[in-house]
Amino acid sequence: MKTFGHRLASPWRRSTAAALAGALPVLAFPAPSLWWFAYVALVPWILLIRSAPTGKRAAYDGWCGGFGFMLAMHHWLLPSLHVFTFVIAALLGALWAPWGLLVRRCLAGAPSWGRIAAALVVLPSGWLAVELVRSWQGLGGPWGVLGASQWQVEPALRLASVGGVWLLSFLVVTVNVAVAVLAAVRASRVPAVAALAATAVAASAAWVWSPRPDTGRQARIAVVQPGVVKGGDLRFAREEQLTRELAGRDVDLIVWGESSVGFDLGDRPDLARRIAALSRETGADILVNVDARRSDRPGIYKSSVLVGPGGPTGDRYDKMRLVPFGEYIPARSLLGWATSVGKAAGEDRRKGSGQVVMDVGHGLRIGPMVCFETAFPDMTRHLTEDGADILVGQSATSTFQQSWAPGQHATLAALRAAETGRPMVHATLTGVSAVYDASGRRIGPWLGTDASTTRVYEVPLAGGVTPYVRYGDWVLHGVLLVLAGWAVAEGLRVVRLRRPAPAPPVPPVRTVRESPARPGR
């Protein structure tokens, strides 16, 4: 009987099937949000790679599937980057070529129980290695990490507090490998069922024994979302109008979205005075975001600036991790042509030098981040270690207003809150804005992309330290050790195969003199 992969005789047909199979996991993310689908979404891709006739073909299947995954995950970039979106997807998709080789090595043919058991650890480790490499800021950051699809599943959020989003990715891939084995290698069902049982036990153990955040007092945080308003002056006026509505509502902090102020406050003291007046009216400091050329140093910065009743307090955070092509062009001398085919950055933004924790009064300390920095688990972990009570992300996705991007971005805050045991506020210009408690559960309704309003959230503050904050990226360290051990074992296996077999022993030649005595003599 022909297998799934053998029916795709044409290389082009097979490559197309791999790309489509690789795109399937995107359905687990917003907007579809079929979180349960993540646990089987990789199965067609795994089965296709398993059937590859050669290692080279398996690497191609991995590459094509990675291309499909990256293109589907970032399809909303097409209106901005056009053809360059395909180039980026192809380059990043190549990271899955080695993973394709791993899949074939572990699962091709009729794998033994030992190979199946190895696959249940090595293949998730290989997947996480890919996620680790592509999470580098220069390659676009950890957008679309597979574990992030579980942002609304409470047991998964509890697991995130133990090992971060990386632990969720590992377990999701493990389940996919086990299901693929159950579907294709019926003689090896025992290790596959054991893996599924172990995953269930791990989730249950995290549910029961992982520490809960120690909640105490509450903070009243207001989010101002002006909506789609064309023109910096008109947007500022709308933000000013909405903020005045918060007077008398006893809020502790007011948060505006990314690029909410289009002028440096040093160059526009009139704007600084207007924001300070709003702070006096509302009785709360206001965290704005300035996207402008600075007056005190060269270059354009995106900066979170805290303004109090007397004007800017001096607390300022300059964005450290910039969006490739959106805020700067990597190797501009080589890739600068991207500005001619899309909306790539005409001038590179400047990077900040370090993270900042701000004191906003009332004994409340916040850790600000800007835009896609909320995708980086290490940034929120460091802010928590530095004493932040609330994590704050300021974002703007107006360029991608009608796509899946605003919803995907808003869900990242749920993972960051669960990982750190600190509530997180995700405030945007045009939606989706959201707030999550220290366990990653949503507080109140989202402010969608059609909303131009303000909302006050009662945010429970939490203390304590989660295992993820305490021990960091131990899951990533573990998978790298697994892959190193696998590489050593494979190297020894190759050496054994190449070593010539010892010659069979040759019985000694008997001479006439050595012949045994005849009977009777």
Side-chain angles (χ1 to χ4, degrees):
M1 185 179 70
K2 293 184 177 180
T3 65
F4 169 62
H6 290 149
R7 298 190 188 102
L8 302 171
S10 166
W12 285 105
R13 186 178 299 177
R14 187 180 181 97
S15 297
T16 301
L20 293 174
L24 290 177
V26 177
L27 298 177
F29 294 82
S33 288
L34 305 176
W35 64 265
W36 51 267
F37 185 61
Y39 294 94
V40 294
L42 298 179
V43 172
W45 190 8
I46 292 172
L47 294 179
L48 178 64
I49 297 174
R50 174 182 177 271
S51 71
T54 65
K56 183 178 180 180
R57 182 64 249 183
Y60 276 127
D61 291 343
W63 188 347
C64 292
F67 167 79
F69 180 63
M70 286 287 94
L71 184 61
M73 184 58 68
H74 299 91
H75 71 275
W76 40 269
L77 288 173
L78 282 167
S80 297
L81 297 182
H82 305 304
V83 68
F84 211 76
T85 308
F86 292 91
V87 175
I88 294 172
L91 292 174
L92 294 179
L95 295 173
W96 275 271
W99 188 73
L101 290 171
L102 276 180
V103 172
R104 184 178 184 274
R105 174 70 188 95
C106 292
L107 299 180
S112 65
W113 280 24
R115 282 171 59 194
I116 294 294
L120 292 167
V121 178
V122 172
L123 296 186
S125 297
W127 183 279
L128 255 70
V130 175
E131 290 195 337
L132 173 62
V133 173
R134 76 178 184 87
S135 293
W136 178 50
Q137 179 263 326
L139 294 180
W143 187 283
V145 171
L146 192 58
S149 64
Q150 305 304 295
W151 66 275
Q152 56 187 323
V153 183
E154 194 164 344
L157 292 172
R158 192 72 58 78
L159 281 172
S161 73
V162 175
V165 70
W166 314 114
L167 181 57
L168 301 185
S169 287
F170 188 93
L171 294 179
V172 168
V173 178
T174 299
V175 172
N176 274 274
V177 173
V179 172
V181 170
L182 287 173
V185 192
R186 297 183 180 181
S188 299
R189 287 178 172 174
V190 173
V193 172
L196 294 175
T199 303
V201 169
S204 301
W207 176 269
V208 174
W209 287 305
S210 62
R212 271 72 165 176
D214 300 323
T215 56
R217 62 192 181 91
Q218 291 189 334
R220 289 174 58 83
I221 310 297
V223 172
V224 174
Q225 181 177 298
V228 179
V229 181
K230 295 183 178 180
D233 290 333
L234 291 177
R235 182 174 63 239
F236 188 91
R238 178 58 177 160
E239 290 164 336
E240 197 173 28
Q241 177 188 7
L242 291 171
T243 303
R244 283 202 180 95
E245 297 175 3
L246 296 169
R249 300 191 60 180
D250 192 28
V251 295
D252 297 304
L253 175 69
I254 300 170
V255 184
W256 292 9
E258 178 189 12
S259 304
S260 49
V261 179
F263 306 93
D264 185 84
L265 295 181
D267 283 337
R268 292 289 303 272
D270 57 316
L271 297 182
R273 287 193 295 269
R274 288 164 67 178
I275 300 172
L278 292 173
S279 177
R280 290 192 295 272
E281 285 184 52
T282 58
D285 286 358
I286 303 174
L287 186 70
V288 302
N289 189 269
V290 177
D291 183 2
R293 194 174 302 277
R294 287 185 63 160
S295 58
D296 58 343
R297 64 180 64 176
I300 301 174
Y301 289 79
K302 281 193 175 181
S303 306
S304 300
V305 178
L306 190 65
V307 181
T313 64
D315 284 333
R316 180 187 189 114
Y317 166 65
D318 297 322
K319 185 177 182 182
M320 296 171 59
R321 296 181 181 174
L322 304 177
V323 180
F325 299 99
E327 294 171 339
Y328 79 103
I329 296 182
R332 182 177 285 271
S333 60
L334 296 176
L335 302 177
W337 57 272
T339 59
S340 63
V341 297
K343 299 177 182 178
E347 179 181 348
D348 292 349
R349 264 50 172 192
R350 302 293 182 91
K351 295 181 180 181
S353 57
Q355 292 184 268
V356 176
V357 173
M358 302 178 179
D359 188 344
V360 300
H362 315 284
L364 185 63
R365 290 163 60 83
I366 64 169
M369 291 162 291
V370 184
C371 191
F372 97 137
E373 289 183 326
T374 62
F376 293 87
D378 64 304
M379 296 195 73
T380 48
R381 180 163 58 87
H382 292 152
L383 286 171
T384 303
E385 291 174 329
D386 291 341
D389 299 308
I390 296 180
L391 306 169
V392 179
Q394 295 174 292
S395 178
T397 52
S398 54
T399 305
F400 315 108
Q401 192 75 350
Q402 306 305 319
S403 72
W404 294 355
Q408 288 180 13
H409 200 176
T411 62
L412 294 175
L415 271 298
R416 304 292 86 85
E419 289 167 343
T420 59
R422 295 293 183 271
M424 182 158 182
V425 176
H426 179 77
T428 72
L429 282 183
T430 60
V432 172
S433 297
V435 179
Y436 301 91
D437 69 11
S439 297
R441 291 186 295 262
R442 191 174 69 189
I443 299 174
W446 278 5
L447 299 182
T449 54
D450 58 345
S452 175
T453 186
T454 185
R455 185 173 294 275
V456 178
Y457 296 88
E458 297 279 354
V459 182
L461 303 181
V465 179
T466 65
Y468 177 69
V469 171
R470 184 182 302 276
Y471 300 112
D473 294 325
W474 62 268
V475 175
L476 293 177
H477 300 153
V479 301
L480 293 178
L481 287 175
V482 167
L483 293 175
W486 171 263
V488 170
E490 286 294 286
L492 294 175
R493 183 183 70 87
V494 170
V495 169
R496 285 196 301 268
L497 290 176
R498 291 181 177 178
R499 182 182 300 165
V506 179
V509 178
R510 295 183 181 273
T511 65
V512 175
R513 293 174 180 243
E514 293 173 334
S515 59
R518 294 179 183 175
R521 299 187 80 184

